[in-house]
Amino acid sequence: MRTKASQPVPHALDHLRHEIEQWRYRQSGRKRLPREFWAKAVALAREYGVHPTARTLGLKYSSLKKHLEAAVGDASRTPESRCEFVELLPGAPSAASTICTIEWEDPSGTMVRMHIKGAQVSDLVLFAERLRSGRS
């Protein structure tokens, strides 16, 4: 039977494994792994994969995967992924066009105020949906 030759453990994974082992050694009883270790483990899982990272660090695969998925979800809500500009292309402005002010405040307290003239109501609804979802 052939056995798979073991791959050398990357330095970053080995270093974090050592940190986690030392932290566990200093703890009495079972305690939750601190957030900073999970954050480092998630970053390494992105680079080396969930299974190799969990195996090397002595973490549950399912727990690491949940933390990774949560981090990906958080990253999609960061300001860097939000659109900076949305272009509305309504038809030619008409007398029936809407004039309105839109104010939008995100959870961090950033406020955006826009005065819009000449857009149709359907365009404003589409714009509001995109603004709310963070898509461009």
Side-chain angles (χ1 to χ4, degrees):
M1 174 189 266
R2 293 178 93 187
T3 58
K4 192 174 185 179
S6 63
Q7 300 277 339
V9 176
H11 177 70
L13 276 173
D14 194 41
H15 181 71
L16 183 56
R17 175 178 56 191
H18 182 68
E19 285 183 36
I20 291 172
E21 285 173 353
Q22 287 200 338
W23 177 82
R24 285 179 174 155
Y25 180 75
R26 290 189 304 266
Q27 302 306 310
S28 60
R30 292 182 54 100
K31 300 217 170 139
R32 290 182 182 259
L33 201 61
R35 288 183 187 178
E36 61 266 13
F37 287 136
W38 281 115
K40 291 176 183 180
V42 164
L44 292 171
R46 285 183 177 138
E47 186 173 347
Y48 300 109
V50 177
H51 183 262
T53 303
R55 184 183 63 232
T56 302
L57 300 178
L59 303 174
K60 285 184 181 177
Y61 173 88
S62 58
S63 296
L64 180 56
K65 188 172 180 183
K66 284 179 186 176
H67 279 85
L68 179 63
E69 289 169 352
V72 169
D74 291 343
S76 68
R77 291 187 290 269
T78 61
E80 293 81 27
S81 67
R82 292 187 187 153
C83 60
E84 294 292 324
F85 177 79
V86 176
E87 181 179 7
L88 296 177
L89 298 173
S94 66
S97 294
T98 304
I99 299 173
C100 70
T101 300
I102 296 177
E103 292 183 2
W104 186 265
E105 184 174 358
D106 70 8
S108 70
T110 303
M111 173 72 86
V112 175
R113 180 178 295 138
M114 295 173 283
H115 300 283
I116 301 174
K117 296 179 184 179
Q120 302 297 319
V121 173
S122 60
D123 294 323
L124 295 173
V125 170
L126 178 63
F127 174 72
E129 288 172 351
R130 288 187 175 183
L131 186 63
R132 183 175 172 184
S133 69
R135 296 181 322 215
S136 57

